[in-house]
Amino acid sequence: MGTLLVGGGLLLDARLRAAIDERVRVGAETTGRVVHVERFQISRSFAATRVTVDYTFDGVRHRERFSNELNKRRFEIGEVLSVRVDPVDPTRAATPDGYATEDLLLQAPTVLEGSGLIAILISLALIRTGPTRAQ
């Protein structure tokens, strides 16, 4: 079970990275301005950064949240970012450095991998202790 969760997390992570790269490659370029920055420390090894960005596409103003995992970059309010926008759905965007608007999907691989590791550790602990017998 644990191996499946870890493998699923790795496959999902690779798929999400490919989707972000594709959006950056084919997206329409615009600029956005950072209006809010949040950093979440979920565990010792896992942190997420969420940046709220205002950008305009085809004359329509959008305010979207962009997220990335374990990124050490520090944003400043008012900083200008290059944003690549999906021409079909302008609320779906990404930045060249890997930030994207799918907050929960970006965190899903880490949750799956962590759940898989916990399942593996529990299985190993149960194997080592063996079944307990009533005497």
Side-chain angles (χ1 to χ4, degrees):
M1 174 76 166
T3 306
L4 290 175
L5 288 172
V6 172
L10 291 172
L11 288 173
L12 182 58
D13 185 52
R15 175 66 188 116
L16 289 172
R17 297 293 170 215
I20 290 170
D21 291 343
E22 178 71 11
R23 185 170 298 160
V24 168
R25 189 177 66 74
V26 301
E29 189 171 344
T30 188
T31 57
R33 187 169 304 275
V34 176
V35 295
H36 189 346
V37 178
E38 299 172 273
R39 185 157 174 84
F40 302 97
Q41 189 71 37
I42 296 171
S43 69
R44 284 185 174 160
S45 63
F46 178 69
T49 302
R50 182 183 294 155
V51 181
T52 304
V53 178
D54 280 344
Y55 59 93
T56 303
F57 184 72
D58 283 342
V60 179
R61 184 173 171 219
H62 298 275
R63 177 174 280 187
E64 298 293 331
R65 291 183 180 158
F66 290 73
S67 292
N68 194 352
E69 298 173 6
L70 301 172
N71 192 317
K72 304 292 186 228
R73 181 167 180 219
R74 298 287 183 196
F75 289 96
E76 299 290 328
I77 293 176
E79 183 176 344
V80 176
L81 298 177
S82 173
V83 178
R84 300 298 180 112
V85 180
D86 184 341
V88 177
D89 182 2
T91 63
R92 300 175 80 189
T95 63
D97 56 349
Y99 280 76
T101 53
E102 292 89 0
D103 294 358
L104 295 176
L105 289 179
L106 289 175
Q107 295 171 15
T110 303
V111 171
L112 285 174
E113 291 165 8
S115 300
L117 288 174
I118 289 170
I120 290 170
L121 292 174
I122 290 171
S123 298
L124 289 174
L126 291 174
I127 289 172
R128 281 190 164 182
T129 59
T132 56
R133 297 179 200 185
Q135 293 182 12

